[in-house]
Amino acid sequence: MWYVIFGHDRPDSLKARLEARPAHVQRLEALRDQGRLLVAGPCPAIDAEDPGSNGFSGSLIVAEFASLALARAWADADPYLAAGVYEQVDVRPFKRVLP
């Protein structure tokens, strides 16, 4: 089943985000290579493709896992969480309809 993982950034997390990004992206690439990643990306803190020093308000990941427990365990091991980028992470089942 698909699951939405939304990480909510803490204020002033841009420096920590940039430092942890390579490890974060590596995990996403592994999901992609397994055919389990639908979409992933950050949410700019302002209405701009490149928010500059404003940073990001969070990240959205939609990926396939065998269960909600496994999706939560994967999210709990995210380098952004360990680095203090995220102050909260929501994991929910997702029903893909389109495309």
Side-chain angles (χ1 to χ4, degrees), residues 5-88:
I5 300 169
F6 193 86
H8 303 265
D9 282 26
R10 69 170 167 78
D12 301 315
S13 62
L14 183 59
K15 183 176 185 285
R17 177 182 269 274
L18 294 174
E19 290 171 359
R21 187 175 188 277
H24 172 79
V25 170
Q26 184 178 32
R27 294 178 80 233
L28 293 170
E29 289 172 340
L31 285 176
R32 179 202 60 204
D33 294 347
Q34 296 166 13
R36 297 172 45 210
L37 183 65
L38 182 62
V39 66
C43 299
I46 61 171
D47 189 15
E49 181 92 13
D50 179 358
S53 63
N54 291 292
F56 299 89
S57 62
S59 299
L60 173 76
I61 300 164
V62 180
E64 190 174 35
F65 294 91
S67 69
L68 179 57
L70 289 173
R72 283 190 177 139
W74 188 90
D76 287 345
D78 195 304
Y80 279 176
L81 193 58
V85 174
Y86 294 153
E87 63 182 359
Q88 177 185 339

